[in-house]
Amino acid sequence: MDKIHVQTNIKAPLSKVWLYWTQPEHITKWNFASPDWHCPNAVNDLVTGGEFHYLMAAKDDSFKFDFWGTYISIIAEKNLEIVLRDRRKMTVTFEKTDHNTLISEFFEPENENPVEMQKSGWQAILDNFRLYAERQ
């Protein structure tokens, strides 16, 4: 199956985008797809072999889960290679463009939800990140 690809162009310098993407105090402020969800806790061990754990939770406390993965390769301000908990592979790239930063995510789809639903959810989180990074 083809990888899913989402991306966004952020009106912010690469160094700021990288910081907001990787620091837990920022991750908790943007890492959710809709206003009825939030990310109350984030841990990010940003080293090769390190793990990230993001608590994803419905605001009404009806559902929550630990979204986590392991870093396979890290090139600061350039590329993250990740294996998610269910063994799917994910790549996040960061590219400086003029005065902006382009983030692209490529990931293997899971088998539980339709591909379009997965793509729209991941795009919503990425759009939420863009809004957060541009407002700060």
Side-chain angles (χ1 to χ4, degrees):
M1 186 175 286
D2 290 339
K3 287 187 177 183
I4 295 173
H5 174 223
V6 295
Q7 68 179 21
T8 193
N9 193 31
I10 301 165
K11 294 176 184 163
L14 178 57
S15 58
K16 177 182 176 182
V17 168
W18 178 260
L19 180 74
Y20 284 12
W21 188 269
T22 59
Q23 297 301 306
E25 63 269 23
H26 293 289
I27 294 165
T28 58
K29 296 185 173 96
W30 61 261
N31 192 32
F32 41 90
S34 64
D36 54 334
W37 280 76
H38 65 148
C39 180
N41 190 43
V43 175
N44 193 19
D45 185 14
L46 190 64
V47 297
T48 301
E51 293 182 353
F52 64 84
H53 290 265
Y54 305 153
L55 179 60
M56 311 296 286
K59 285 185 176 176
D60 68 4
D61 242 359
S62 62
F63 189 77
K64 60 184 165 186
F65 64 95
D66 180 20
F67 177 73
W68 69 275
T70 303
Y71 292 108
I72 303 306
S73 172
I74 300 167
I75 303 172
E77 297 186 2
K78 184 82 173 155
N79 185 286
L80 297 170
E81 296 285 337
I82 299 163
V83 174
L84 299 173
R85 66 164 175 79
D86 59 4
R87 306 260 185 246
R88 292 182 297 134
K89 293 181 181 162
M90 175 180 179
T91 302
V92 185
T93 63
F94 302 80
E95 181 183 342
K96 182 179 179 181
T97 62
D98 295 330
H99 303 290
N100 299 330
T101 303
L102 178 67
I103 294 182
S104 298
E105 292 181 299
F106 305 87
F107 55 95
E108 296 171 343
E110 39 95 342
N111 296 320
E112 296 175 22
N113 296 295
V115 170
E116 279 307 310
M117 180 180 177
Q118 294 176 64
K119 184 174 182 172
S120 66
W122 285 80
Q123 185 66 57
I125 293 170
L126 195 53
D127 291 343
N128 217 25
F129 175 77
R130 178 181 45 77
L131 292 173
Y132 175 76
E134 289 180 351
R135 277 189 243 145
Q136 300 304 307

